[in-house]
Amino acid sequence: MNAPSTLFAAPATVVTDADRYLFDLQGFLLLRGVLKLHEINDILGAVRRLEKADYDDSWRAKLKPCHREIAMPTKMHNDTSTRLNGLLRLDPAFDRCIDHPRIQPYLVDFMGYPQLINTWSISKRRGNGILGWHRGQSPMQYFCRVGTVHSAMVNVVWFLTDNGADDGCMCAVPGSHKSDVAKLVSYRLDLRHDGNNFDFQSPEYSGLSLPGSIPITGKAGDVLIFSEALIHGGLTKTTDGTRTNLYFNHLDNLHTVAGREPQNMRFFWLPDHMRERFTPRQREMTVWMENARYEIDE
Ligand SMILES: O=C(O)CCC(=O)C(=O)O
């Protein structure tokens, strides 16, 4: 991209030392009232519309057999939850979440050069159970030096409905983004260690029985920004109504997307003709897509 960088243009939100301190201490920040009511209604309306639709996932037949078996479909639906993958392919209503002026400055501050990789929604209904403890990056990929935070992967969670303690809200262990705990995490991160400080077995510590864990509660319109090194999960939903969140996950430009989940690349990557509708800053937040080859359906 030849245009001057728009990522670092005068930010609408100024990240303070107190924000950096808190993010470094906890591994997350919870920002209140980011989305206005009309924005919530607009985005939630799109999610509800899309959740009712069926999707042609015939592209999966073109994947390598080993990837085909584990690739996610566009819509994952059961009695108590609905997940949609690859939101930006489904509706432009989600575009504003790529570079929202209240959020984007934090991504630049905590990551250097953030690149949006994955987008999904999760709606939960009464009876939906615990989502086990996990994290998407190793604590070795998180550091803070002389007031500068660097997290290789940062997830942004948009609360479109209230996330009360019994609404199936997220949960996390504050500070665990620096904690070398093995076997608790679902990803292959512990393979890189000869030994970990603590070996917890996930089933023994379901939900808030894990020492140090807390629920992450908030109102519709709030936004959670967290380092993917943070140990996190989801709690049981025992209330009526539907809890819906969006998840916009980012990687710094030093890491490759394709190495992580090649089977799910179609939900990460967008062809140029779809990115044409983006603003210059949204294009820059997704510029890795111009440099990556992916030939399943385009
Ligand atoms: O909303 C939740 O229950 C947690 C979702 C989550 O951690 C994930 O999708 O990786």
Side-chain angles (χ1 to χ4, degrees), residues 83 120 122 124 131 134 155 163 168-170 226 228 232-235 243 245 247:
R83 173 175 170 137
W120 67 101
I122 300 180
K124 295 183 183 179
L131 176 67
H134 60 285
N155 206 337
N163 277 235
C169 69
M170 289 187 67
F226 70 97
E228 272 282 356
H232 63 279
L235 296 179
R243 189 231 63 175
N245 291 347
Y247 305 79

PDB file of all heavy atoms in Angstrom, residues 83 120 122 124 131 134 155 163 168-170 226 228 232-235 243 245 247, ligand 1:
ATOM      1  N   ARG A  83     -23.351 -19.770  16.396  1.00  0.00           N
ATOM      2  CA  ARG A  83     -22.098 -19.072  16.094  1.00  0.00           C
ATOM      3  C   ARG A  83     -22.041 -18.833  14.595  1.00  0.00           C
ATOM      4  O   ARG A  83     -22.326 -19.744  13.803  1.00  0.00           O
ATOM      5  CB  ARG A  83     -20.906 -19.934  16.535  1.00  0.00           C
ATOM      6  CG  ARG A  83     -19.560 -19.359  16.095  1.00  0.00           C
ATOM      7  CD  ARG A  83     -18.394 -20.158  16.637  1.00  0.00           C
ATOM      8  NE  ARG A  83     -17.156 -19.715  16.009  1.00  0.00           N
ATOM      9  CZ  ARG A  83     -16.013 -19.509  16.642  1.00  0.00           C
ATOM     10  NH1 ARG A  83     -15.915 -19.730  17.929  1.00  0.00           N
ATOM     11  NH2 ARG A  83     -14.938 -19.096  15.981  1.00  0.00           N
ATOM     12  N   TRP A 120     -16.156 -13.391  14.475  1.00  0.00           N
ATOM     13  CA  TRP A 120     -17.265 -14.324  14.675  1.00  0.00           C
ATOM     14  C   TRP A 120     -18.248 -13.741  15.693  1.00  0.00           C
ATOM     15  O   TRP A 120     -17.934 -12.795  16.416  1.00  0.00           O
ATOM     16  CB  TRP A 120     -16.770 -15.702  15.088  1.00  0.00           C
ATOM     17  CG  TRP A 120     -16.116 -15.846  16.447  1.00  0.00           C
ATOM     18  CD1 TRP A 120     -16.705 -16.340  17.577  1.00  0.00           C
ATOM     19  CD2 TRP A 120     -14.757 -15.564  16.808  1.00  0.00           C
ATOM     20  NE1 TRP A 120     -15.791 -16.370  18.617  1.00  0.00           N
ATOM     21  CE2 TRP A 120     -14.585 -15.904  18.174  1.00  0.00           C
ATOM     22  CE3 TRP A 120     -13.657 -15.053  16.126  1.00  0.00           C
ATOM     23  CZ2 TRP A 120     -13.377 -15.735  18.863  1.00  0.00           C
ATOM     24  CZ3 TRP A 120     -12.437 -14.880  16.811  1.00  0.00           C
ATOM     25  CH2 TRP A 120     -12.321 -15.224  18.151  1.00  0.00           C
ATOM     26  N   ILE A 122     -21.186 -14.989  18.764  1.00  0.00           N
ATOM     27  CA  ILE A 122     -21.730 -16.114  19.547  1.00  0.00           C
ATOM     28  C   ILE A 122     -22.991 -15.624  20.255  1.00  0.00           C
ATOM     29  O   ILE A 122     -22.947 -14.643  21.010  1.00  0.00           O
ATOM     30  CB  ILE A 122     -20.736 -16.657  20.595  1.00  0.00           C
ATOM     31  CG1 ILE A 122     -19.447 -17.158  19.921  1.00  0.00           C
ATOM     32  CG2 ILE A 122     -21.385 -17.799  21.390  1.00  0.00           C
ATOM     33  CD1 ILE A 122     -18.404 -17.715  20.894  1.00  0.00           C
ATOM     34  N   LYS A 124     -25.948 -16.982  22.846  1.00  0.00           N
ATOM     35  CA  LYS A 124     -26.215 -18.077  23.794  1.00  0.00           C
ATOM     36  C   LYS A 124     -27.623 -17.937  24.334  1.00  0.00           C
ATOM     37  O   LYS A 124     -28.066 -16.830  24.633  1.00  0.00           O
ATOM     38  CB  LYS A 124     -25.259 -17.998  24.982  1.00  0.00           C
ATOM     39  CG  LYS A 124     -23.810 -18.211  24.679  1.00  0.00           C
ATOM     40  CD  LYS A 124     -23.038 -18.174  25.989  1.00  0.00           C
ATOM     41  CE  LYS A 124     -21.548 -18.317  25.761  1.00  0.00           C
ATOM     42  NZ  LYS A 124     -20.798 -18.262  27.019  1.00  0.00           N
ATOM     43  N   LEU A 131     -17.938 -22.814  28.522  1.00  0.00           N
ATOM     44  CA  LEU A 131     -16.899 -22.941  27.492  1.00  0.00           C
ATOM     45  C   LEU A 131     -15.563 -23.000  28.236  1.00  0.00           C
ATOM     46  O   LEU A 131     -15.226 -22.086  28.986  1.00  0.00           O
ATOM     47  CB  LEU A 131     -16.931 -21.743  26.534  1.00  0.00           C
ATOM     48  CG  LEU A 131     -15.813 -21.739  25.480  1.00  0.00           C
ATOM     49  CD1 LEU A 131     -15.998 -22.902  24.503  1.00  0.00           C
ATOM     50  CD2 LEU A 131     -15.764 -20.429  24.733  1.00  0.00           C
ATOM     51  N   HIS A 134      -9.210 -21.473  27.939  1.00  0.00           N
ATOM     52  CA  HIS A 134      -8.309 -21.551  26.776  1.00  0.00           C
ATOM     53  C   HIS A 134      -7.607 -20.207  26.610  1.00  0.00           C
ATOM     54  O   HIS A 134      -7.940 -19.219  27.267  1.00  0.00           O
ATOM     55  CB  HIS A 134      -9.072 -21.926  25.498  1.00  0.00           C
ATOM     56  CG  HIS A 134     -10.139 -20.959  25.108  1.00  0.00           C
ATOM     57  ND1 HIS A 134     -11.353 -20.864  25.761  1.00  0.00           N
ATOM     58  CD2 HIS A 134     -10.186 -20.023  24.129  1.00  0.00           C
ATOM     59  CE1 HIS A 134     -12.097 -19.929  25.198  1.00  0.00           C
ATOM     60  NE2 HIS A 134     -11.404 -19.395  24.203  1.00  0.00           N
ATOM     61  N   ASN A 155      -7.808  -9.668  21.216  1.00  0.00           N
ATOM     62  CA  ASN A 155      -9.199  -9.894  20.812  1.00  0.00           C
ATOM     63  C   ASN A 155     -10.072  -8.749  21.339  1.00  0.00           C
ATOM     64  O   ASN A 155      -9.855  -8.257  22.452  1.00  0.00           O
ATOM     65  CB  ASN A 155      -9.686 -11.232  21.378  1.00  0.00           C
ATOM     66  CG  ASN A 155     -10.814 -11.844  20.561  1.00  0.00           C
ATOM     67  OD1 ASN A 155     -11.524 -11.138  19.854  1.00  0.00           O
ATOM     68  ND2 ASN A 155     -10.966 -13.146  20.658  1.00  0.00           N
ATOM     69  N   ASN A 163     -24.231  -8.599  29.376  1.00  0.00           N
ATOM     70  CA  ASN A 163     -23.494  -9.809  29.784  1.00  0.00           C
ATOM     71  C   ASN A 163     -23.498  -9.838  31.305  1.00  0.00           C
ATOM     72  O   ASN A 163     -22.519  -9.484  31.962  1.00  0.00           O
ATOM     73  CB  ASN A 163     -22.047  -9.760  29.283  1.00  0.00           C
ATOM     74  CG  ASN A 163     -21.865 -10.219  27.839  1.00  0.00           C
ATOM     75  OD1 ASN A 163     -21.083 -11.118  27.551  1.00  0.00           O
ATOM     76  ND2 ASN A 163     -22.572  -9.598  26.911  1.00  0.00           N
ATOM     77  N   GLY A 168     -24.293 -16.189  30.720  1.00  0.00           N
ATOM     78  CA  GLY A 168     -23.298 -16.862  29.885  1.00  0.00           C
ATOM     79  C   GLY A 168     -22.172 -15.905  29.525  1.00  0.00           C
ATOM     80  O   GLY A 168     -21.599 -15.983  28.424  1.00  0.00           O
ATOM     81  N   CYS A 169     -21.840 -15.011  30.459  1.00  0.00           N
ATOM     82  CA  CYS A 169     -20.791 -14.011  30.176  1.00  0.00           C
ATOM     83  C   CYS A 169     -19.422 -14.688  30.081  1.00  0.00           C
ATOM     84  O   CYS A 169     -19.260 -15.849  30.457  1.00  0.00           O
ATOM     85  CB  CYS A 169     -20.772 -12.954  31.271  1.00  0.00           C
ATOM     86  SG  CYS A 169     -20.194 -13.556  32.865  1.00  0.00           S
ATOM     87  N   MET A 170     -18.469 -13.935  29.607  1.00  0.00           N
ATOM     88  CA  MET A 170     -17.093 -14.453  29.573  1.00  0.00           C
ATOM     89  C   MET A 170     -16.518 -14.473  30.985  1.00  0.00           C
ATOM     90  O   MET A 170     -17.003 -13.793  31.882  1.00  0.00           O
ATOM     91  CB  MET A 170     -16.232 -13.594  28.657  1.00  0.00           C
ATOM     92  CG  MET A 170     -16.586 -13.766  27.188  1.00  0.00           C
ATOM     93  SD  MET A 170     -15.435 -12.907  26.118  1.00  0.00           S
ATOM     94  CE  MET A 170     -13.917 -13.837  26.397  1.00  0.00           C
ATOM     95  N   PHE A 226      -8.795  -7.794  25.132  1.00  0.00           N
ATOM     96  CA  PHE A 226      -7.913  -8.636  25.952  1.00  0.00           C
ATOM     97  C   PHE A 226      -6.787  -9.254  25.144  1.00  0.00           C
ATOM     98  O   PHE A 226      -6.921  -9.516  23.947  1.00  0.00           O
ATOM     99  CB  PHE A 226      -8.711  -9.704  26.716  1.00  0.00           C
ATOM    100  CG  PHE A 226      -9.301 -10.815  25.890  1.00  0.00           C
ATOM    101  CD1 PHE A 226      -8.647 -12.025  25.757  1.00  0.00           C
ATOM    102  CD2 PHE A 226     -10.526 -10.668  25.264  1.00  0.00           C
ATOM    103  CE1 PHE A 226      -9.195 -13.068  25.023  1.00  0.00           C
ATOM    104  CE2 PHE A 226     -11.095 -11.700  24.521  1.00  0.00           C
ATOM    105  CZ  PHE A 226     -10.416 -12.903  24.405  1.00  0.00           C
ATOM    106  N   GLU A 228      -4.724 -12.269  23.960  1.00  0.00           N
ATOM    107  CA  GLU A 228      -5.096 -13.678  23.812  1.00  0.00           C
ATOM    108  C   GLU A 228      -4.192 -14.605  24.630  1.00  0.00           C
ATOM    109  O   GLU A 228      -4.384 -15.805  24.648  1.00  0.00           O
ATOM    110  CB  GLU A 228      -5.143 -14.090  22.342  1.00  0.00           C
ATOM    111  CG  GLU A 228      -6.493 -13.856  21.681  1.00  0.00           C
ATOM    112  CD  GLU A 228      -7.573 -14.897  22.015  1.00  0.00           C
ATOM    113  OE1 GLU A 228      -7.268 -15.871  22.722  1.00  0.00           O
ATOM    114  OE2 GLU A 228      -8.728 -14.706  21.587  1.00  0.00           O
ATOM    115  N   HIS A 232      -9.045 -17.538  29.442  1.00  0.00           N
ATOM    116  CA  HIS A 232     -10.438 -17.085  29.455  1.00  0.00           C
ATOM    117  C   HIS A 232     -11.372 -18.208  29.033  1.00  0.00           C
ATOM    118  O   HIS A 232     -10.928 -19.249  28.552  1.00  0.00           O
ATOM    119  CB  HIS A 232     -10.607 -15.855  28.549  1.00  0.00           C
ATOM    120  CG  HIS A 232     -10.314 -16.126  27.102  1.00  0.00           C
ATOM    121  ND1 HIS A 232      -9.040 -16.152  26.578  1.00  0.00           N
ATOM    122  CD2 HIS A 232     -11.139 -16.394  26.054  1.00  0.00           C
ATOM    123  CE1 HIS A 232      -9.082 -16.410  25.282  1.00  0.00           C
ATOM    124  NE2 HIS A 232     -10.347 -16.570  24.943  1.00  0.00           N
ATOM    125  N   GLY A 233     -12.666 -17.972  29.214  1.00  0.00           N
ATOM    126  CA  GLY A 233     -13.675 -18.969  28.829  1.00  0.00           C
ATOM    127  C   GLY A 233     -15.050 -18.341  28.907  1.00  0.00           C
ATOM    128  O   GLY A 233     -15.193 -17.111  28.919  1.00  0.00           O
ATOM    129  N   GLY A 234     -16.082 -19.189  28.987  1.00  0.00           N
ATOM    130  CA  GLY A 234     -17.458 -18.686  29.047  1.00  0.00           C
ATOM    131  C   GLY A 234     -18.240 -19.425  30.120  1.00  0.00           C
ATOM    132  O   GLY A 234     -17.999 -20.617  30.360  1.00  0.00           O
ATOM    133  N   LEU A 235     -19.162 -18.715  30.780  1.00  0.00           N
ATOM    134  CA  LEU A 235     -19.945 -19.317  31.871  1.00  0.00           C
ATOM    135  C   LEU A 235     -21.319 -19.795  31.366  1.00  0.00           C
ATOM    136  O   LEU A 235     -21.751 -19.442  30.270  1.00  0.00           O
ATOM    137  CB  LEU A 235     -20.106 -18.302  33.000  1.00  0.00           C
ATOM    138  CG  LEU A 235     -18.788 -17.883  33.671  1.00  0.00           C
ATOM    139  CD1 LEU A 235     -19.054 -16.846  34.768  1.00  0.00           C
ATOM    140  CD2 LEU A 235     -18.046 -19.092  34.250  1.00  0.00           C
ATOM    141  N   ARG A 243     -27.915 -13.888  24.773  1.00  0.00           N
ATOM    142  CA  ARG A 243     -26.705 -13.065  24.936  1.00  0.00           C
ATOM    143  C   ARG A 243     -25.914 -13.139  23.647  1.00  0.00           C
ATOM    144  O   ARG A 243     -25.571 -14.232  23.200  1.00  0.00           O
ATOM    145  CB  ARG A 243     -25.864 -13.603  26.100  1.00  0.00           C
ATOM    146  CG  ARG A 243     -24.708 -12.669  26.454  1.00  0.00           C
ATOM    147  CD  ARG A 243     -23.354 -13.349  26.520  1.00  0.00           C
ATOM    148  NE  ARG A 243     -22.919 -13.923  25.255  1.00  0.00           N
ATOM    149  CZ  ARG A 243     -21.721 -14.471  25.070  1.00  0.00           C
ATOM    150  NH1 ARG A 243     -20.871 -14.550  26.062  1.00  0.00           N
ATOM    151  NH2 ARG A 243     -21.382 -14.975  23.894  1.00  0.00           N
ATOM    152  N   ASN A 245     -22.535 -11.615  21.527  1.00  0.00           N
ATOM    153  CA  ASN A 245     -21.274 -10.858  21.432  1.00  0.00           C
ATOM    154  C   ASN A 245     -20.656 -11.065  20.055  1.00  0.00           C
ATOM    155  O   ASN A 245     -20.824 -12.121  19.442  1.00  0.00           O
ATOM    156  CB  ASN A 245     -20.239 -11.376  22.453  1.00  0.00           C
ATOM    157  CG  ASN A 245     -20.597 -11.069  23.897  1.00  0.00           C
ATOM    158  OD1 ASN A 245     -21.486 -10.277  24.174  1.00  0.00           O
ATOM    159  ND2 ASN A 245     -19.897 -11.717  24.816  1.00  0.00           N
ATOM    160  N   TYR A 247     -16.752 -11.051  18.193  1.00  0.00           N
ATOM    161  CA  TYR A 247     -15.333 -11.237  18.528  1.00  0.00           C
ATOM    162  C   TYR A 247     -14.519 -10.836  17.301  1.00  0.00           C
ATOM    163  O   TYR A 247     -14.712 -11.410  16.217  1.00  0.00           O
ATOM    164  CB  TYR A 247     -15.057 -12.705  18.910  1.00  0.00           C
ATOM    165  CG  TYR A 247     -15.963 -13.159  20.036  1.00  0.00           C
ATOM    166  CD1 TYR A 247     -17.282 -13.519  19.771  1.00  0.00           C
ATOM    167  CD2 TYR A 247     -15.531 -13.144  21.347  1.00  0.00           C
ATOM    168  CE1 TYR A 247     -18.153 -13.872  20.795  1.00  0.00           C
ATOM    169  CE2 TYR A 247     -16.393 -13.505  22.384  1.00  0.00           C
ATOM    170  CZ  TYR A 247     -17.698 -13.864  22.091  1.00  0.00           C
ATOM    171  OH  TYR A 247     -18.550 -14.199  23.110  1.00  0.00           O
TER     172      TYR A 247
HETATM  173  O1  LIG B   1     -18.411 -15.727  25.003  1.00  0.00           O
HETATM  174  C1  LIG B   1     -17.894 -16.708  25.480  1.00  0.00           C
HETATM  175  O2  LIG B   1     -18.494 -17.527  26.142  1.00  0.00           O
HETATM  176  C2  LIG B   1     -16.405 -16.955  25.282  1.00  0.00           C
HETATM  177  C3  LIG B   1     -16.023 -17.014  23.827  1.00  0.00           C
HETATM  178  C4  LIG B   1     -14.589 -17.368  23.620  1.00  0.00           C
HETATM  179  O3  LIG B   1     -13.780 -17.351  24.506  1.00  0.00           O
HETATM  180  C5  LIG B   1     -14.152 -17.763  22.274  1.00  0.00           C
HETATM  181  O4  LIG B   1     -14.964 -17.780  21.332  1.00  0.00           O
HETATM  182  O5  LIG B   1     -12.937 -18.056  22.117  1.00  0.00           O
END
